[in-house]
Amino acid sequence: MPVDFTEGALTYLPGGDITLESLTTPTDISKRHTKVVCTLGPKCWDEETIEGMIEAGMTMARICCSHGNMEEWTTCLERVRKVSAKKGVNVAVMMETTGPEIRMGYFEDNAPQISL
């Protein structure tokens, strides 16, 4: 059955108990079962951006430790905690630490191998 997407025509979506009203009505975040994981890099470590991400539905902040240093990660973590407390929502935090990295390049003095 074709779906009419003209303004005001869509009131029921095929595929279950989904209605246009259920999609457009604000939901209570505490009743959500799906987790929304957002990666926080240096560009979004400020409180305003974190607050916007929480308002958009972020339930877990992933801090990528490939960028920054311990002081910056700690500051970011404190900001996530501060903003989530201010908003009255729980936001989990996941720290992604980097594993071994393979770097391609030349060794000093053109050495054929290097001992680690």
Side-chain angles (χ1 to χ4, degrees):
M1 170 171 114
V3 179
D4 183 359
F5 286 102
T6 58
E7 189 174 333
L10 184 62
T11 57
Y12 175 78
L13 298 175
D17 204 17
I18 302 171
T19 65
L20 184 59
E21 182 182 357
S22 70
L23 295 175
T24 57
T25 303
T27 59
D28 180 0
I29 292 175
S30 67
K31 297 190 186 311
R32 290 185 184 167
H33 297 288
T34 302
K35 303 301 177 208
V36 178
V37 180
C38 299
T39 300
L40 302 182
K43 293 280 187 183
C44 53
W45 284 351
D46 61 279
E47 289 182 26
E48 286 180 23
T49 304
I50 293 169
E51 184 171 353
M53 295 172 85
I54 291 172
E55 288 172 356
M58 175 175 72
T59 56
M60 178 180 285
R62 175 180 167 264
I63 299 174
C64 182
C65 296
S66 295
H67 309 285
N69 56 44
M70 183 64 80
E71 182 180 328
E72 292 170 321
W73 304 326
T74 303
T75 300
C76 181
L77 174 62
E78 289 169 351
R79 288 177 183 159
V80 170
R81 288 179 175 163
K82 177 182 174 183
V83 174
S84 64
K86 175 180 146 187
K87 301 297 286 177
V89 296
N90 292 321
V91 176
V93 176
M94 173 174 49
M95 303 287 289
E96 182 192 338
T97 58
T98 57
E101 295 181 2
I102 298 173
R103 304 277 184 190
M104 302 301 291
Y106 297 102
F107 294 123
E108 187 176 332
D109 299 323
N110 294 320
Q113 64 182 14
I114 188 170
S115 299
L116 300 177

